[in-house]
Structures are given as structure tokens and as C-alpha cells.
Amino acid sequence: MIFLRLVLAASVAGLSTFGCDEEDDDGLFSDNARIYFHNQLTQVGGGSEDDVTVDLFVDNQNSPVQDDVGYTITGNVSAESIELDDDSESLSFDARGSSSGSTLVNGPLNRTLTAGDRYTVVLMGDTTLDNRQLRTYRHQQMTVTSGQIRVRFINTLSRLSGDELSVVTPGAAGQSLVSGLEYAEGSNYVSVNASGTLEVTVNNETQGLEIDQVSCSVSSGRSYDAIIAYRRFDSDDDQIALFCQPFN
């Protein structure tokens, strides 16, 4: 009888530990995916910020997961937890004008999410051009060496949608990080020595021109999605910023 009680107690303890893992959104047994939404929709020639303020819909097309989202001017946005019915599920995404209610991307669009994974979701393009995109970029979990960061660059410069970008560290002996980065593309992850600030030069590789030198705050030992974007929704072509979304 004593032996039976010990076995039952051990079984209950094991089930309790398993249950804790299930409740952790980042855990192996999570039935949720997490998305980090960035609105980089622009408008050539200025206009009203209301024209680029959007509602994001995921799965339920009647109730947005985020509403009245203006142009994103920060790298660190809050996560939305998306409950999945299976380990992997195709869900319908849409981005609509908050004022008009009209889709901005000919949505809904189907995107597949995997339980336990995290995604950077970016709306980009211009209200006056036919190049609007709603893209999802799955974060790759990785171990990052102390004193370094791992970073992936995402090109949202819609007014240069026919050109390719390159990214290098500043200085005469700058390290080449990315080349041939097309509009709406995400690069491969690269390792960079950085402890407090990631500083890079973004070039228009197609035209052979330097666009701008940009930076963002980072912490050693973490990974980032670095979004190359305009500083504001109505900025000039050479006024860009680097918005770094942290992970890990």
C-alpha cells in the first residue's frame, strides 16, 4: 500500500510539471503562436495618418486582434497570442483601413502558424502604389554567443520596390551583412558584434548609392528582426530608420 501511494504521488507530480509546460506560451507544448505586428504602410506626398491606420484580423474576420494601429516607429512591439486548433494551422489574415474598413492587401490571406513559434508580421507598401504586402516572418530559435547578436533584416522600403539593398557595418573596413535584399524580403540571420547599439549603413545596391546610416538599441546574446523602414509614414525616400524587434 505504501508503495502504491508513492507511485501515485510521483505520477501526479509528473502530470503537474507537464501542465506547467503547457501553460508557457514559449514552451514546447504550447498550443499558441505569438505574432508581433508592425505597420509600415506609407503614403507618398504626405496626407493624413488616418489613411495608414489599420486593423489587423487573424482567423476571426469580424473581430480584429489589434485595432487603430498607426505607423510603427518602434522596434519593440507587444505580442499577440494566437490560439491554434492543431500543431500547425493555416489562418486567414487581413489588414483593413480603420476608417474605411476596406482591405489593404486584397485579403484575407492564408498564412500558416506553428504552435510554440513566434512571428514578425509586417504590413508594408504605399497607399498610392500597387505594392502593398502583409508578410509573416517566422523567428528561428537559436543560441547567441555573449558579446554578439543574431539579426535578420527585413526590407519595407516600398518606394524602392524595384531595387535591391545591401547592409554593411560603418567604416572603411565595414562588414558586409546582407546584399541583394529585395522589397518585402527577409534576409538570412547573421552574427554581429554588438553590446548596446547596432549601427549599419543601408545602401541602394541597384543604384550604387548610400541611403542612410541607421541604428537601434540591442542587448548582447539576443536575436532580432531589424526592419528597414521609413522614419514616418510620410518621410522622404532617404529618411529611413531601423526598428529592431527583440527575441530570446
Side-chain angles (χ1 to χ4, degrees):
M1 182 64 70
I2 293 175
F3 175 76
L4 179 59
R5 289 174 182 172
L6 289 174
V7 171
L8 288 173
S11 299
V12 170
L15 288 172
S16 297
T17 302
F18 183 80
C20 289
D21 286 339
E22 282 191 315
E23 292 174 359
D24 181 2
D25 283 343
D26 291 332
L28 177 64
F29 301 104
S30 171
D31 57 358
N32 294 340
R34 280 181 156 185
I35 64 172
Y36 301 79
F37 178 55
H38 292 253
N39 173 15
Q40 311 301 163
L41 188 66
T42 63
Q43 189 170 66
V44 169
S48 169
E49 192 160 5
D50 291 342
D51 295 335
V52 299
T53 300
V54 304
D55 299 336
L56 177 69
F57 295 81
V58 180
D59 193 23
N60 183 347
Q61 297 301 304
N62 296 315
S63 179
V65 296
Q66 290 191 2
D67 58 4
D68 292 329
V69 182
Y71 188 78
T72 304
I73 55 173
T74 180
N76 194 354
V77 302
S78 59
E80 293 291 341
S81 184
I82 307 299
E83 186 173 353
L84 305 181
D85 293 332
D86 208 339
D87 291 342
S88 181
E89 185 176 356
S90 178
L91 301 177
S92 56
F93 281 68
D94 200 3
R96 304 175 197 166
S98 295
S99 299
S100 65
S102 300
T103 182
L104 297 166
V105 289
N106 294 322
L109 308 170
N110 289 333
R111 297 287 185 265
T112 298
L113 302 184
T114 300
D117 281 348
R118 293 174 290 179
Y119 300 82
T120 300
V121 178
V122 186
L123 174 65
M124 67 191 83
D126 196 275
T127 59
T128 65
L129 300 174
D130 189 25
N131 62 4
R132 294 186 295 277
Q133 303 268 354
L134 182 65
R135 292 290 186 97
T136 58
Y137 305 88
R138 181 177 176 232
H139 174 249
Q140 177 186 334
Q141 297 186 33
M142 64 196 77
T143 300
V144 185
T145 304
S146 178
Q148 290 190 328
I149 64 168
R150 290 277 285 173
V151 59
R152 167 174 60 187
F153 294 90
I154 298 172
N155 174 10
T156 71
L157 301 185
S158 57
R159 299 172 212 163
L160 302 175
S161 58
D163 295 347
E164 296 179 344
L165 305 183
S166 65
V167 182
V168 300
T169 56
Q175 175 188 358
S176 176
L177 303 178
V178 174
S179 63
L181 186 62
E182 298 180 353
Y183 169 63
E185 265 194 352
S187 72
N188 293 325
Y189 286 94
V190 293
S191 295
V192 184
N193 292 326
S195 58
T197 301
L198 171 64
E199 190 170 0
V200 297
T201 299
V202 179
N203 301 303
N204 185 324
E205 194 172 32
T206 302
Q207 299 185 30
L209 300 172
E210 178 181 317
I211 300 176
D212 205 354
Q213 188 168 300
V214 292
S215 64
C216 65
S217 296
V218 295
S219 297
S220 166
R222 302 189 74 179
S223 59
Y224 292 85
D225 276 347
I227 300 171
I228 303 170
Y230 297 104
R231 294 180 201 168
R232 285 177 40 85
F233 79 98
D234 56 355
S235 291
D236 293 332
D237 286 351
D238 59 350
Q239 296 175 333
I240 66 171
L242 193 65
F243 302 132
C244 290
Q245 176 65 54
F247 294 96
N248 290 19

